[in-house]
Amino acid sequence: AKAMSDSAVCIFQSDMETTFQRKFKIEHELTVALSSNAFQLAFQPVVDTESLRVVMLEALIRWPSGETSCDPNEFIPIAEESKLINPLGRWIISQAMAQFARFKAGLGVDVGLSINLSPVQLRDKALVKFISATLEQENLWANALTFEITETALLENEPQIIKTLTEIHQLGCNIALDDFGTGYSSISHLLHFPIDIVKIDKSITSQVTESGKGAAIFRGLVRMLNTLCVEVVAEGVENHQQYLECKSVKVAKIQGYYFSSAVSESVIVNTVKSLNRE
Ligand code: C2E
Ligand code: CA
Ligand code: CA
Ligand code: CA
């Protein structure tokens, strides 16, 4: 028994070490990647549930040449801890708007652009100025833009975060509450912050076709949000049945692999056109 517990401790310690080393390595590589322009953006369509037309594109970061193969669920939190998220986040904002400004005329339809913001970025006193300057530089209307935030940004009621959100909203941009249903899902957040859109997390959406409570939670959530007059987007729609469920409970917009995954600028125009043709 002694030997077993010793080896258990050993395994535990080496796990800790690798986790730490990996984080450290990624943090270092992120710094290099930022200065060598190694990040890319991909765009995922959001479609209108009734017309099935693409109405919005969400910009999602990609790190293709990362030595340590790494997805945003892993490296964004590391960037947040190391303060790299501020320069990285600004790169995402200016890059997303510049690319969008470049390809949007080719789409032939009016779509919006959605950009994810980390809570750390919302503490940046100069963020709103940066956003409005970028809008002006790229000749974009503020109302074409949506900024996605998560509930964690709202929990502490931080004055600077509230100020930033209010000012982004005053510019004319939309605010979306991302990953709804995973955290606190507090209704008071919807009443006290300028939230235009709620994105229901894919962990909830994935349950709509299961029998039992999952589907009931989804339906109840959507009904409640619809009566509050926030626009509902269901994330993670992966099949026809889920789409039909969303339609039957009047989810305004849907996003997911059933329509398209996030694609690069070079194919987004064709992706949007072929989705709109179907
Ligand atoms: P998110 O903002 O909730 O983005 C949605 C994630 O779900 C994306 O993963 C997307 O590719 C994936 N997804 C879309 N449709 C489906 C589907 O039908 N099924 C499944 N299983 N997944 C689907 P991705 O791109 O790996 O991003 C993961 C997370 O990393 C994002 O979650 C967001 O929290 C963060 N992230 C990504 N890009 C950015 C960014 O530019 N800035 C910030 N601050 N965070 C980002
Ligand atoms: Ca998002
Ligand atoms: Ca989400
Ligand atoms: Ca997420």
Side-chain angles (χ1 to χ4, degrees):
K2 171 105 182 27
M4 254 177 79
S5 67
D6 276 355
S7 67
V9 167
C10 205
I11 288 165
F12 177 69
Q13 280 179 338
S14 73
D15 274 357
M16 292 272 290
E17 207 162 41
T18 22
T19 308
F20 176 78
Q21 282 170 344
R22 183 173 166 85
K23 254 179 87 170
F24 189 76
K25 192 165 168 243
I26 289 171
E27 192 182 318
H28 172 72
E29 285 177 16
L30 281 172
T31 316
V32 177
L34 190 59
S35 56
S36 63
N37 232 329
F39 296 105
Q40 288 174 12
L41 292 181
F43 298 87
Q44 185 179 31
V46 177
V47 307
D48 177 271
T49 314
E50 280 304 315
S51 67
L52 291 184
R53 301 236 151 196
V54 179
V55 286
M56 191 152 70
L57 298 170
E58 179 177 1
L60 292 160
I61 193 164
R62 296 291 175 261
W63 188 10
S65 58
E67 257 174 64
T68 328
S69 159
C70 196
D71 76 35
N73 276 319
E74 184 178 16
F75 72 75
I76 291 287
I78 296 173
E80 287 174 338
E81 279 176 44
S82 65
K83 297 282 174 274
L84 267 174
I85 195 69
N86 280 319
L88 180 60
R90 285 185 178 214
W91 179 86
I92 292 165
I93 292 167
S94 52
Q95 186 68 15
M97 287 198 209
Q99 288 187 240
F100 179 73
R102 207 148 61 205
F103 66 64
K104 85 177 192 350
L107 297 173
V109 284
D110 221 10
V111 304
L113 171 68
S114 202
I115 297 174
N116 292 282
L117 289 180
S118 150
V120 180
Q121 289 179 273
L122 296 173
R123 293 193 189 103
D124 172 4
K125 290 198 177 80
L127 181 73
V128 179
K129 228 178 183 175
F130 182 79
I131 290 172
S132 66
T134 313
L135 283 168
E136 206 162 300
Q137 186 184 323
E138 301 300 341
N139 244 309
L140 295 172
W141 295 102
N143 65 11
L145 266 286
T146 297
F147 288 95
E148 303 192 5
I149 61 158
T150 52
E151 236 173 355
T152 50
L154 309 178
L155 293 180
E156 310 281 338
N157 259 306
E158 278 179 56
Q160 184 55 49
I161 288 184
I162 298 169
K163 186 166 186 275
T164 304
L165 284 177
T166 308
E167 287 176 3
I168 290 176
H169 204 244
Q170 280 165 354
L171 280 181
C173 302
N174 303 293
I175 309 277
L177 191 56
D178 205 356
D179 301 346
F180 199 74
T182 55
Y184 294 81
S185 307
S186 167
I187 309 204
S188 75
H189 290 150
L190 302 175
L191 303 173
H192 295 127
F193 297 99
I195 306 229
D196 308 289
I197 299 166
V198 166
K199 301 187 78 171
I200 297 183
D201 192 71
K202 52 182 173 288
S203 62
I204 312 273
T205 309
S206 67
Q207 298 194 46
V208 296
T209 52
E210 312 284 304
S211 55
K213 288 185 180 159
I217 288 171
F218 179 81
R219 292 195 194 110
L221 209 53
V222 174
R223 285 203 191 97
M224 177 203 76
L225 294 169
N226 279 344
T227 57
L228 291 176
C229 295
V230 288
E231 187 170 85
V232 178
V233 179
E235 292 190 290
V237 174
E238 293 182 346
N239 57 52
H240 191 71
Q241 258 182 305
Q242 291 172 345
Y243 148 65
L244 289 178
E245 267 305 315
C246 288
K247 193 169 160 160
S248 82
V249 287
K250 304 223 171 321
V251 170
K253 288 164 187 173
I254 40 189
Q255 178 176 8
Y257 296 161
Y258 182 54
F259 302 99
S260 173
S261 58
V263 298
S264 69
E265 178 181 2
S266 63
V267 293
I268 188 65
V269 172
N270 282 328
T271 301
V272 171
K273 281 185 174 168
S274 71
L275 281 171
N276 283 348
R277 218 177 288 122
E278 274 165 18

